[in-house]
Amino acid sequence: MPTVTTDDGVRLHYEETGRGTPLIFVHEFGGDLRSWEPQVRYFSRFYRCIRYNARGYPPSEVPEDWKRYSQERARDDIRSVLDGLKIDRAHVVGLSMGAFATLHFGMQYPQRALSITVAGGAYGSHPAHHQQFQQDSRANAERLQREGMAKFVASYGAGPQRVQLEDKDPRAFAEYLAQFNEHSALGSANTLLGVQCRRPSFYDLVERLQKMTVPTLIMLGDEEEPALEANILLKRCIPTAGLAVLPRSGHAINLEEPALFNQLLENFLHQVELGTWQPRNPRSTIPSIHGPAGRP
């Protein structure tokens, strides 16, 4: 079973398929590397596709101390995978929790990213939701430790931004739940405590976002209401960002609408590789009445 070892000594399981320019996929909290199957089946025809399980997600190692999990650590684990595979630069695609890690990777290591795709990100980032999200993450970690994966997945796994996948593709939804149930209760709880509870709001990163130079594609579903405004903030702040909103879609957009997701991503990658994805022309920007941070 192939693994790479992070700079703090944690073994991460990975898979790679295909040849060409490296394209790395970073999974969400409720998923793992298997969540990217619709993308790997398509993009491995043209790219060297790499996907890995985050720390805490077997068969990757599960550190027992929750303090070994953080947003910075999730960011640096992407770098460790690239280093372990001797890859200088790659396109990086993340969903949800993976989108946060991908965005932070683009901010911290722009020289290592050919592009970044931030899909289904920003949940819990809006100032009106941030504190409650942290409290909920802590409560979910305690429930996981107390009740185990099965009871947790039965409620958390079928939330209001997941019903869209259930309605569109019951088979894919059942597969998602089955895979979620196979995760480590300890690893998931530690991820909630170390990463989700402590990650900064996008609204606290405005100055750093405005300095980003990496080509960035932002994607989200229009029914992920808690994250809409924060994704618009990303679009306004990052000079190299483009925003794609998938209609009648929730959180797991790569599974809900795999063909559309792949089409949007492929078009973006082609533009980046052709050099035509350039920073936004200042003349195209109409000042917002809400300002760059979404406030009057």
Side-chain angles (χ1 to χ4, degrees):
M1 182 176 295
T3 62
V4 295
T5 302
T6 66
D7 55 285
D8 68 335
V10 175
R11 290 193 303 275
L12 302 179
H13 167 61
Y14 74 91
E15 294 181 0
E16 61 174 307
T17 313
R19 293 174 295 178
T21 303
L23 174 59
I24 186 166
F25 295 96
V26 191
H27 67 77
E28 62 154 318
F29 172 75
D32 54 48
L33 63 78
R34 295 172 292 181
S35 306
W36 293 109
E37 189 64 25
Q39 283 66 55
V40 170
R41 284 182 180 272
Y42 182 76
F43 284 100
S44 62
R45 306 175 189 195
F46 319 106
Y47 292 88
R48 179 186 177 188
C49 291
I50 299 148
R51 48 183 173 164
Y52 69 96
N53 273 13
R55 61 179 61 208
Y57 288 75
S60 291
E61 281 194 281
V62 182
E64 294 187 4
D65 185 356
W66 67 267
K67 293 178 183 177
R68 297 189 69 187
Y69 301 71
S70 68
Q71 184 63 80
E72 293 78 12
R73 190 63 261 173
R75 173 200 70 197
D76 287 353
D77 283 352
I78 300 174
R79 186 199 62 200
S80 290
V81 172
L82 295 181
D83 289 347
L85 297 177
K86 296 180 171 51
I87 296 171
D88 291 330
R89 302 180 73 198
H91 297 290
V92 186
V93 180
L95 179 76
S96 189
M97 180 179 78
F100 279 85
T102 296
L103 180 69
H104 281 263
F105 183 83
M107 287 190 290
Q108 187 69 21
Y109 305 112
Q111 74 280 8
R112 304 295 300 273
L114 294 169
S115 74
I116 61 171
T117 297
V118 179
Y123 194 90
S125 234
H126 194 281
H129 308 143
H130 188 57
Q131 185 175 2
Q132 186 62 51
F133 176 80
Q134 292 176 313
Q135 294 173 359
D136 290 345
S137 295
R138 191 169 294 107
N140 282 327
E142 293 171 356
R143 186 153 62 94
L144 256 171
Q145 294 168 326
R146 184 175 62 252
E147 299 178 355
M149 286 302 301
K151 286 189 176 180
F152 176 73
V153 171
S155 57
Y156 183 95
Q161 276 77 55
R162 301 283 183 177
V163 296
Q164 297 84 358
L165 176 60
E166 184 178 15
D167 290 342
K168 292 175 182 177
D169 191 342
R171 183 180 178 88
F173 181 73
E175 184 176 55
Y176 147 73
L177 289 180
Q179 292 173 357
F180 197 175
N181 263 301
E182 294 172 4
H183 294 172
S184 162
L186 174 62
S188 296
N190 283 347
T191 299
L192 286 165
L193 291 171
V195 183
Q196 311 282 65
C197 278
R198 300 194 292 173
R199 70 189 185 196
S201 164
F202 287 172
Y203 288 77
D204 295 327
L205 302 172
V206 166
E207 289 187 9
R208 294 186 67 191
L209 293 170
Q210 290 172 335
K211 296 175 182 177
M212 284 185 66
T213 59
V214 178
T216 302
L217 175 63
I218 304 162
M219 286 198 276
L220 79 156
D222 67 343
E223 294 187 7
E224 192 160 21
E225 182 62 37
L228 287 174
E229 290 185 29
N231 274 279
I232 293 172
L233 171 79
L234 288 185
K235 170 64 176 70
R236 286 174 174 158
C237 288
I238 301 173
T240 53
L243 173 63
V245 180
L246 282 64
R248 301 299 298 273
S249 296
H251 189 61
I253 49 178
N254 69 306
L255 299 177
E256 281 185 46
E257 301 290 349
L260 179 55
F261 186 98
N262 292 351
Q263 178 187 358
L264 291 166
L265 177 57
E266 182 177 36
N267 183 60
F268 168 62
L269 297 178
H270 284 175
Q271 289 188 61
V272 171
E273 290 164 358
L274 289 170
T276 58
W277 188 279
Q278 296 294 323
R280 199 162 45 245
N281 188 322
R283 290 183 299 169
S284 71
T285 304
I286 300 174
S288 168
I289 62 170
H290 296 292
R295 303 183 183 92

